[in-house]
């Protein structure tokens, strides 16, 4: 027994140790493989992103039967229209012959995330091209430009970049280089050939070599994180439209559409084969409107974002807050968000996303995205842009109204009582028309005229009706004046609460394709709102008959409080942070002068302190939002708005100085200010009461604040002073009517110079 025990126990111990060793070894191996797998999964490169540049594509091409692949991308991804704007330049040689930005400048803007400019004839060498870009941008721009920011984003993720296509330029990568380059002007995998084949009957004697481009795509699709593919077939056909017969031009376009569709189908097949169901994201865009676009205001190009979990629908960005409209500076911000990287200093865009949003900003029909609906977006944007550009706010007419009224006011002191009464009727009608013009351009777009001449006819009929009524009923002029001010402020407040649909389409707003403002209350109607509120405060004590409501004490101040309360929520209702110091200064001075009777250093300090507190509350509230939803103010404080706060303030002052010398609103500002100052000087009697004196002080201080605090605040200041003149002219005519008739050759008591 002891023998067997002595023989078996060592064997059992050996077998148990061997089994334990195998278990430990297997566990260590599994753990090692698991850790390697986790590290591989964590360090695996991000999916390849393909950007397809399609210059020359039009809205009418989107639903062509020759482009079924494009229709599929639109229906399965996010789509919209991209506003193509580059930097403003003083040298017209850097622009196209029609005055629009060059395609090269727009491509540099896409890759930098900030408005840029490019020389029209860049050198062939990439290093020389980059040096030329740096030179022209340093000479032309007033802000820091992060050249090559898109390529730098991918390089920070250790991803390569590649360019390929059928460029017409002398260098193979052509326009794709502007988008994919890094800060050193380099692309990791540039295409070595031009992707073109000689073909005698094709535009310019060449056609796209699809086999070469797709072969080059296969060579880099597993090596590059960003592949920029350029297809110039439509652009070549577009540029030959006026050089050949219509039938030949139509055939060239059909062939170009088939070429583009074949290229898109090949790329789509390869992207789906690479990742299976998780398709590689494809961004299809045109860097500029088609060269054959006959409208100089056209700056819209189609944009399609497909794959990588993107929902089908309309693209939306916080830069415009208009469904279906994004900025070309938003492309870089979208890639930065996808790569989980911050925007480089100087970039100003915000990421865009797709969702099921209204098919049109003015016709809220929720339909599935399609090529025809995307084309309908373009028609709607261009219709609104034409109507906004045709009147342009009518600054010349708004300058002539106070000029004519002041001349008639001066003549009324030298004529007989019968003639003076007729002149007063005309002056009253002119003062009422000053209020009617902005109100008409705000509400008449609801009638949706299809042509600019129809819009101008509607506006003329409205002004004619109001003017004739004012001239025929002189006793009701003050009541009508107050009613129009009330109605204007009420409509503005309701529109701000409802998302500004009226302000977006108003004929006195910036054009939707100008790129100056997209949401909220702008300089034009900000000046109108401040002026109407101050005028109502000055009129609140009058006891004349009212058309609808009796005079309310200090109703202008009540409107002012509501206006400020709404503009404080800038992320939802307003885009102009300058509305806070401008409106706050105007209303604060009005209140202080009314309460204290004067405006000293202590009162001015109080107004500045309250304005600073309001801006501080806005900054604290806005800092809690995501970067894409923040206002321009907090982005300026954090340096994410295209520069530091001092740089932005200096830029605003430079813009204001340029506008004072070049804008048509400068004449309106000068005439309104001079006419109001003349009335206040020669007729102090009607404004002797503290309430009216306070209203005039608020108008004057508000105009100065608009010039100092707002970019392009010239328009706001001009309209604010224009409202002050209209009210002052009515007060003087009422004082003249209440005074006895003067002797021949004598001035009226109500229109005498103050001592």
């Amino acid at each position: 027994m002891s023998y067997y025990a002595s023989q078996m126990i060592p064997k059992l111990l050996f077998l148990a140790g061997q089994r334990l060793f195998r278990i430990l070894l297997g566990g260590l191996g599994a753990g090692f493989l698991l850790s390697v797998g986790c590290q591989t999964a964590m360090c695996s490169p991000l999916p390849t992103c393909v950007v397809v540049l399609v210059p020359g594509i039009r809205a009418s091409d989107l639903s062509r039967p020759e482009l079924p692949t494009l229709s599929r991308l639109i229906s399965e991804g996010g789509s919209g229209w991209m506003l193509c704007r580059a930097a403003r330049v003083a040298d017209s040689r850097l622009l196209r012959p029609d005055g629009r930005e060059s395609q090269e400048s727009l491509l540099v803007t896409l890759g930098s995330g900030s408005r840029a400019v490019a020389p029209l004839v860049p050198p062939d060498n990439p290093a020389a091209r980059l040096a030329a870009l740096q030179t022209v941008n340093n000479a032309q721009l007033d802000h820091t430009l992060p050249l090559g920011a898109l390529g730098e984003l991918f390089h920070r993720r250790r991803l390569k970049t590649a360019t390929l296509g059928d460029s017409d330029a002398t260098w193979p990568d052509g326009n794709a280089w502007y988008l994919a380059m890094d800060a050193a002007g380099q692309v990791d995998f540039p295409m070595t050939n031009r992707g073109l084949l000689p073909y005698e009957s094709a535009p310019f004697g060449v056609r796209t070599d699809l086999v070469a481009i797709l072969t080059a795509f296969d060579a880099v699709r597993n090596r590059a994180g960003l592949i920029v593919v350029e297809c110039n077939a439509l652009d070549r056909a577009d540029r030959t439209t006026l050089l050949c017969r219509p039938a030949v031009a139509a055939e060239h376009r059909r062939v170009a559409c088939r070429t583009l569709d074949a290229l898109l189908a090949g790329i789509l097949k390869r992207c789906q084969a690479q990742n299976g169901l998780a398709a590689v994201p494809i961004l299809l865009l045109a860097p500029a409107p088609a060269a054959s676009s006959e409208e100089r205001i056209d700056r819209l190009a189609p944009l399609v974002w497909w794959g990588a979990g993107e929902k089908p629908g309309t693209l939306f960005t916080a830069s415009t807050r208009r469904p279906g409209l994004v900025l070309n500076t938003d492309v870089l911000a979208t890639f930065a968000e996808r790569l989980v990287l911050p925007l480089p200093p100087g970039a100003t865009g915000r990421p865009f996303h797709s969702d099921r949003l209204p098919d049109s900003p003015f016709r809220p029909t929720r339909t599935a995205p399609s090529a025809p609906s995307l084309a309908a977006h373009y028609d709607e944007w261009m219709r609104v842009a034409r109507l906004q550009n045709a009147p342009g706010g009518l600054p010349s007419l708004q300058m002539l109204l106070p000029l004519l009224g002041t001349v008639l006011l001066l003549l009324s002191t030298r004529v007989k009582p019968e003639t003076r009464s007729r002149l007063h009727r005309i002056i009253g009608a002119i003062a009422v028309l000053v209020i009617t013009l902005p109100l008409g351009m705000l509400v008449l777009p609801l009638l949706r005229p299809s042509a600019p001449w129809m819009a101008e006819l509607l506006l003329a009929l409205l002004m004619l009706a109001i003017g004739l009524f004012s001239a025929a009923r002189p006793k009701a002029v003050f009541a009508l004046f107050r009613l129009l001010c009330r109605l204007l402020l009420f409509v503005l407040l309701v529109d701000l609460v409802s998302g500004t649909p009226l302000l977006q389409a108003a004929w006195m707003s910036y054009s939707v394709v100008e790129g100056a403002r997209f949401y909220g209350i702008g300089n034009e109607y900000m000046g109108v709102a401040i002026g109407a509120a101050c005028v109502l405060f000055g009129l609140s004590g009058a006891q004349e008959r009212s058309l609808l409501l009796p005079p309310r004490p200090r109703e202008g101040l009540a409107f002012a409080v509501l206006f400020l309360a709404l503009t404080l929520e800038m992320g939802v209702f307003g885009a102009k942070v300058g509305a806070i110091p401008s409106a706050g200064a105007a209303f604060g001075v009005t209140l202080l002068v009314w309460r204290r009777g004067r405006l000293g250093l202590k009162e001015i300090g109080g107004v500045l302190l309250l304005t600073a507190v309001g801006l501080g509350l806005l900054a604290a509230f806005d800092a809690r939002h995501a970067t894409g939803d923040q206002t321009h103010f907090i982005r300026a404080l954090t340096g994410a708005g295209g520069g530091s706060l001092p740089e932005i303030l200096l830029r605003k002052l430079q813009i204001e100085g340029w506008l004072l010398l070049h804008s048509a609103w400068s004449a309106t500002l000068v005439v309104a200010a001079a006419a109001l100052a003349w009335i206040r000087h020669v007729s102090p009697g009607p404004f002797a009461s503290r309430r009216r004196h306070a209203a005039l002080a608020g108008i004057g201080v508000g105009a100065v604040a608009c010039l100092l605090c707002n970019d392009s605040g010239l328009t706001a200041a001009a309209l604010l002073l224009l409202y002050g003149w209209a009210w002052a002219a009515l007060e003087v005519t009422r004082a003249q009517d209440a005074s006895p008739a003067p002797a021949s050759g004598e001035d009226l008591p109500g229109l005498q110079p103050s001592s």
Side-chain angles (χ1 to χ4, degrees):
M1 187 69 181
S2 61
Y3 172 79
Y4 284 105
S6 62
Q7 293 293 326
M8 293 299 296
I9 288 175
K11 291 183 178 181
L12 291 175
L13 292 175
F14 174 78
L15 291 175
Q18 188 179 26
R19 179 67 57 85
L20 181 61
F21 176 78
R22 290 177 179 177
I23 292 174
L24 292 175
L25 183 63
L28 291 175
F32 174 78
L33 293 177
L34 182 61
S35 64
V36 170
C38 293
Q39 292 292 329
T40 303
M42 294 175 61
C43 299
S44 60
L46 295 175
T48 301
C49 183
V50 179
V51 178
V52 182
L53 296 176
V54 191
I57 192 169
R58 307 174 188 160
S60 57
D61 296 327
L62 300 179
S63 56
R64 291 180 67 108
E66 296 88 358
L67 289 171
T69 306
L70 178 58
S71 298
R72 175 189 171 186
L73 294 177
I74 294 173
S75 61
E76 295 180 359
S79 60
W81 288 91
M82 181 177 66
L83 182 62
C84 303
R85 290 301 304 264
R88 182 188 289 113
V89 294
D91 189 356
S92 59
R93 293 175 299 177
L94 299 173
L95 302 173
R96 299 195 323 192
D98 59 4
R100 287 182 287 183
E101 297 87 343
S102 66
Q103 183 169 275
E104 291 78 10
S105 296
L106 295 172
L107 282 163
V108 178
T109 300
L110 279 171
S112 304
S114 182
R115 293 185 180 184
V117 61
L120 287 181
V121 186
D124 295 348
N125 185 283
R129 268 182 278 161
L130 179 64
L133 284 176
Q134 293 171 338
T135 301
V136 70
N137 283 284
N138 290 333
Q140 297 287 335
L141 302 186
D142 56 359
H143 57 274
T144 303
L145 182 69
L147 280 172
L150 184 58
E152 286 294 321
L153 286 178
F154 281 85
H155 285 171
R156 288 183 61 184
R157 285 296 184 191
R158 298 184 179 180
L159 299 172
K160 304 294 185 180
T161 58
T163 56
L164 51 127
D166 57 346
S167 172
D168 298 340
T170 56
W171 57 90
D173 47 2
N175 292 326
W177 175 84
Y178 290 104
L179 192 60
M181 69 169 181
D182 60 8
Q186 299 298 318
V187 175
D188 298 305
F189 303 116
M191 191 171 182
T192 56
N193 56 7
R194 297 177 61 187
L196 291 172
L197 288 175
Y199 197 77
E200 184 177 355
S201 61
F204 300 101
V206 292
R207 67 177 183 181
T208 303
D209 189 352
L210 291 175
V211 175
I213 294 176
L214 292 176
T215 301
F217 186 89
D218 290 331
V220 299
R221 66 174 182 169
N222 292 323
R223 303 164 63 191
L226 172 66
I227 304 176
V228 182
V229 184
E230 183 180 6
C231 180
N232 282 282
L234 279 172
D235 183 56
R236 287 192 294 270
D238 192 65
R239 284 183 284 153
T240 58
T241 300
L242 301 178
L243 304 178
C244 54
R245 297 191 304 272
V248 177
E251 179 61 25
H252 286 167
R253 198 153 199 89
R254 279 193 293 270
V255 174
C257 288
R258 295 192 190 103
T259 301
L260 173 61
D261 190 76
L263 179 63
L264 290 177
I267 293 175
L268 185 62
K269 180 180 178 180
R270 287 160 173 78
C271 289
Q272 288 179 319
Q274 180 177 347
N275 278 9
L277 297 178
V280 172
I282 297 177
L283 179 65
L284 185 143
L285 58 90
S292 62
S293 178
E294 299 178 355
E295 299 189 71
R296 295 185 61 181
I297 63 173
D298 184 9
R299 286 180 170 85
L300 299 176
L303 181 73
V304 182
W305 184 241
W306 178 89
E310 196 68 31
K311 298 179 181 179
T314 303
L315 292 176
F316 180 84
T317 174
S319 296
T320 64
R321 299 185 185 273
R322 297 190 179 193
L325 184 67
V326 304
L327 303 183
N328 53 358
T329 54
D330 293 334
V331 173
L332 179 70
T334 304
F335 277 110
E337 184 184 62
R338 294 276 177 161
L339 297 173
V340 198
L341 289 173
L343 273 178
T348 59
R350 302 181 184 186
F352 53 75
H353 302 277
S354 67
D355 200 356
R356 187 63 59 84
L357 293 170
D359 196 39
S360 170
F362 307 111
R363 291 174 296 184
T365 57
R366 294 179 178 271
T367 59
S370 62
S373 67
L374 185 59
H377 270 271
Y378 174 82
D379 295 336
E380 184 68 19
W381 295 128
M382 291 307 299
R383 185 191 70 83
V384 174
R386 293 187 199 101
L387 296 178
Q388 291 176 327
N389 278 270
L394 298 175
S396 299
L397 177 59
Q398 302 205 56
M399 179 268 295
L400 291 175
L401 288 176
L403 182 61
L404 177 60
T406 304
V407 171
L408 294 178
L409 193 60
L410 180 61
L411 291 177
S412 67
T413 65
R414 305 289 182 178
V415 297
K416 297 179 181 180
E418 299 81 8
T419 307
R420 185 185 70 182
S421 177
R422 298 190 189 98
L423 292 179
H424 284 182
R425 290 189 177 195
I426 300 175
I427 295 171
I430 291 175
V432 171
L433 289 179
V434 168
I435 311 296
T436 304
L437 196 57
L439 181 60
M441 288 190 284
L442 181 64
V443 299
L444 286 179
L446 291 173
L447 300 179
R448 298 181 58 84
S450 58
W453 69 267
M454 296 178 62
E456 294 168 356
L457 178 61
L458 288 173
L459 188 59
L461 291 176
L462 176 64
M463 294 186 65
L464 181 62
I466 296 295
L468 291 177
F469 177 82
S470 302
R473 302 286 300 274
K475 294 183 179 180
V477 166
F478 262 89
L480 180 61
F481 188 83
R482 176 189 286 110
L483 175 64
L484 291 176
C485 287
R486 286 173 172 174
L487 183 60
L488 181 61
L489 282 174
F490 178 76
V491 171
L492 281 175
L493 292 175
V494 172
D495 191 53
L496 286 172
V497 173
S498 59
T500 66
L502 293 180
L503 286 169
Q504 290 181 5
W507 300 336
M508 202 171 70
S509 292
Y510 284 111
S511 168
V512 69
V513 297
E514 285 297 323
R517 183 184 58 82
F518 301 99
Y519 61 95
I521 187 167
N523 284 308
E524 308 88 354
Y525 284 99
M526 188 195 74
V528 167
I530 298 174
C534 291
V535 166
L536 282 177
F537 182 80
L539 287 170
S540 61
Q543 298 300 322
E544 68 275 353
R545 183 182 57 177
S546 176
L547 291 179
L548 290 180
L549 299 175
R552 303 292 182 185
R554 297 178 293 280
E555 63 176 333
L557 191 59
F559 275 115
V561 172
L562 289 175
F563 175 74
L564 270 180
L566 291 180
T567 53
L568 278 174
E569 181 49 59
M570 304 300 289
V572 178
F573 298 119
K576 293 294 179 187
V577 179
I580 297 176
S582 302
F587 303 145
V589 166
T590 300
L591 183 61
L592 286 173
V593 174
W594 175 61
R595 298 287 294 181
R596 304 290 294 271
R598 62 185 180 86
L599 188 64
L601 294 178
K602 184 184 296 185
E603 287 77 11
I604 294 176
V607 172
L608 294 177
L609 179 60
L610 290 176
T611 302
V613 170
L615 291 174
L617 292 175
L618 170 64
F621 176 77
D622 202 22
R624 301 183 304 171
H625 293 145
T627 303
D629 296 327
Q630 289 178 347
T631 67
H632 304 306
F633 179 63
I634 190 65
R635 287 165 64 86
L637 291 179
T638 58
S644 63
L645 187 59
E647 291 177 348
I648 294 176
L649 292 176
L650 179 61
R651 191 188 313 164
K652 289 179 182 292
L653 292 177
Q654 292 175 346
I655 293 174
E656 208 67 62
W658 186 88
L659 289 174
L660 283 171
L661 298 177
H662 298 85
S663 175
W665 287 100
S666 295
T668 308
L669 174 70
V670 172
V671 170
L676 181 58
W678 176 77
I679 290 177
R680 182 66 180 86
H681 175 70
V682 301
S683 183
F687 310 101
S689 68
R690 182 178 293 185
R691 185 189 67 257
R692 294 175 182 174
H693 178 62
L696 276 181
I699 289 173
V701 173
V704 175
C706 289
L707 288 173
L708 295 178
C709 301
N710 282 39
D711 53 338
S712 306
L714 172 67
T715 308
L719 289 166
L720 179 54
L721 293 172
L722 196 63
Y723 270 54
W725 172 87
W727 168 53
L730 284 181
E731 293 287 358
V732 169
T733 56
R734 179 161 61 177
Q736 290 183 8
D737 291 335
S739 63
S744 177
E746 295 182 2
D747 289 330
L748 284 170
L751 199 62
Q752 294 178 349
S754 59
S755 58

